[in-house]
Amino acid sequence: TTPRMEKFKITRQKFTHEGRTIYEWDQDLEEVNIYVQGPPGVPAKMISCVITPAKLTLGIKGNPPFIEENFISTVKAKESFWTVEDGVIHLTLQKALKGEVWAAALQGHAGMTGASLDPMAMEETKKQMMLQRFQEESPGFDFSGAQFNGSAPDPRSFLGGPTTS
């Protein structure tokens, strides 16, 4: 994401289960990010993370996975990666379809509070992604203060879709 793109507000969704945060996630025009608090005292070399185009498997080596779910859509596995920063496992997933708005990060959690975008959050995400797309396609202009009247168009299909990078 370029510094100019950082002007656009990206809201993290927090998926909790039985009062515990399982993960947080957000998305922009090209990526979905998932943030998981790593187990205390477990070094990065003990983390097992497998990203395929359709599925995420995450856990501690030698143990059953903590998360084993299909993505809501497809990712470019070879361009996706994970890091550990301040105890947080950060997965950066490259969307296979640039501009696609994901309603949730993981299929098994779709429809659950925090894991899925409600209609209002979905509309806000579409607006932010459209502004990111406009900014990317017209770098000489500043769209950070722009607003939409009514519903935002789908950033994936509007005017033939985004330019591919």
Side-chain angles (χ1 to χ4, degrees), residues 6-164:
E6 291 174 5
K7 291 180 181 180
F8 301 103
K9 182 182 177 207
I10 297 174
T11 305
R12 273 193 198 180
Q13 303 295 313
K14 185 183 288 190
F15 173 55
T16 59
H17 180 69
E18 296 180 357
R20 180 174 164 225
T21 298
I22 305 301
Y23 62 87
E24 295 181 16
W25 74 282
D26 62 35
Q27 65 182 310
D28 64 21
L29 203 55
E30 299 183 51
E31 297 173 347
V32 171
N33 295 286
I34 299 177
Y35 309 89
V36 180
Q37 181 63 53
V42 175
K45 66 183 178 185
M46 290 301 299
I47 302 294
S48 172
C49 183
V50 178
I51 300 168
T52 69
K55 186 177 187 175
L56 169 66
T57 305
L58 177 67
I60 299 173
K61 290 178 182 174
N63 291 288
F66 176 65
I67 296 174
E68 186 172 26
E69 294 286 345
N70 287 332
F71 297 118
I72 204 79
S73 190
T74 308
V75 303
K76 296 178 182 177
K78 290 182 179 178
E79 296 175 32
S80 299
F81 59 94
W82 64 276
T83 60
V84 177
E85 232 176 278
D86 298 325
V88 175
I89 303 164
H90 176 193
L91 297 99
T92 303
L93 308 167
Q94 192 73 29
K95 293 178 178 178
L97 298 173
K98 182 177 178 179
E100 181 180 34
V101 181
W102 287 23
L106 302 171
Q107 280 186 7
H109 303 151
M112 296 180 169
T113 305
S116 296
L117 298 179
D118 62 35
M120 235 170 110
M122 188 77 158
E123 184 63 24
E124 188 57 35
T125 300
K126 282 179 18 185
K127 288 177 182 179
Q128 291 304 314
M129 288 174 60
M130 278 301 303
L131 293 174
Q132 289 173 352
R133 183 178 149 197
F134 290 157
Q135 188 67 64
E136 183 179 278
E137 293 173 359
S138 305
F141 294 92
D142 182 358
F143 292 95
S144 62
Q147 296 190 4
F148 286 91
N149 289 331
S151 294
D154 183 343
R156 174 85 191 127
S157 60
F158 182 71
L159 293 177
T163 55
T164 55

